[in-house]
Amino acid sequence: MNKLIDLIRQRQSVRRYTDKAIEKEKLDRCLEAAFMAPSACNAQPWKFIVVNEPVLVKKVARETWNKLAAFNKFVDQAPVIIVITIEKSPLVPTVGGIIKDINYPLIDIGIAAEHFCLQATEEGLGSCMIGWFNEKPIQKLLKIPRSRRIGLMISLGYEPDGYKLRKKIRKDLSKVVSYNKY
């Protein structure tokens, strides 16, 4: 009855991985979950680049941290990195976004990424969304056209034995929810 909320409670940002390969069937289900995400005007403004060739994974992972921001060093343990590019949207969501000053493709990519990560959790995989990266070197490594931007990346792999589900620390619900007024 509460399968979705249980899955949401189980999903966490995983920052350690084993070197075990990810089965194609599991990866395909994660990609399908992302592909099925809703988007503004059904624009589907994304492309998912699966980086699973070990040498290339290491090169891409190296571009997720630097001397000043080394918090993403764990990415090079992941056997797979998903790179999500922002694709061109049709006219209606583009114009609507300009009028409303809302970047709909970024919202859409966020929804798709969470669908991916929830499915990864369902498959027994760990994932972590990566928003800090050196875009230009990754674009070059993956031959992404200069006209496209990388919106988000996801590291993916099996958690090591003993990796614990952390207690979720959230603000009190009364601080983030109100009814009928701010």
Side-chain angles (χ1 to χ4, degrees):
M1 172 106 47
N2 291 316
K3 289 180 184 177
L4 180 58
I5 196 72
D6 291 341
L7 187 63
I8 291 168
R9 287 180 179 137
Q10 185 182 350
R11 189 253 178 258
Q12 65 182 347
S13 295
V14 173
R15 293 180 175 90
R16 279 192 315 208
Y17 302 100
T18 69
D19 58 1
K20 180 180 176 182
I22 297 171
E23 298 86 344
K24 184 171 182 345
E25 304 79 32
K26 290 184 176 187
L27 182 58
D28 287 347
R29 283 190 294 270
C30 293
L31 291 164
E32 181 181 1
F35 168 78
M36 295 302 297
S39 59
C41 300
N42 199 29
Q44 303 168 52
W46 49 60
K47 181 173 177 94
F48 302 92
I49 302 170
V50 178
V51 183
N52 62 355
E53 193 286 308
V55 172
L56 190 56
V57 167
K58 296 291 185 200
K59 288 179 180 178
V60 171
R62 178 58 188 92
E63 297 301 333
T64 64
W65 59 276
N66 59 38
K67 290 177 186 172
L68 296 176
F71 46 81
N72 284 339
K73 277 191 169 185
F74 68 91
V75 176
D76 75 350
Q77 298 171 15
V80 174
I81 299 172
I82 305 297
V83 177
I84 308 172
T85 61
I86 302 168
E87 299 299 304
K88 293 186 188 274
S89 289
L91 185 61
V92 172
T94 300
V95 171
I98 292 168
I99 292 169
K100 300 303 287 179
D101 192 25
I102 296 174
N103 191 332
Y104 290 114
L106 281 180
I107 294 169
D108 297 340
I109 284 171
I111 296 167
E114 183 60 8
H115 275 48
F116 183 98
C117 292
L118 284 171
Q119 185 63 40
T121 302
E122 176 70 16
E123 300 290 341
L125 299 168
S127 63
C128 187
M129 292 188 209
I130 310 295
W132 181 283
F133 47 82
N134 301 316
E135 185 173 20
K136 292 200 184 316
I138 296 170
Q139 284 177 311
K140 187 174 181 181
L141 285 165
L142 303 180
K143 298 178 175 42
I144 298 170
R146 284 190 287 197
S147 63
R148 298 295 185 265
R149 299 284 318 265
I150 299 171
L152 195 60
M153 295 172 36
I154 303 170
S155 59
L156 185 69
Y158 282 97
E159 302 168 12
D161 288 339
Y163 197 84
K164 301 213 188 281
L165 182 63
R166 295 180 302 276
K167 181 180 183 209
K168 294 204 184 286
I169 300 169
R170 299 291 184 265
K171 296 176 182 176
D172 187 85
L173 197 58
S174 67
K175 303 281 187 204
V176 297
V177 175
S178 63
Y179 290 85
N180 304 314
K181 62 181 178 180
Y182 188 84

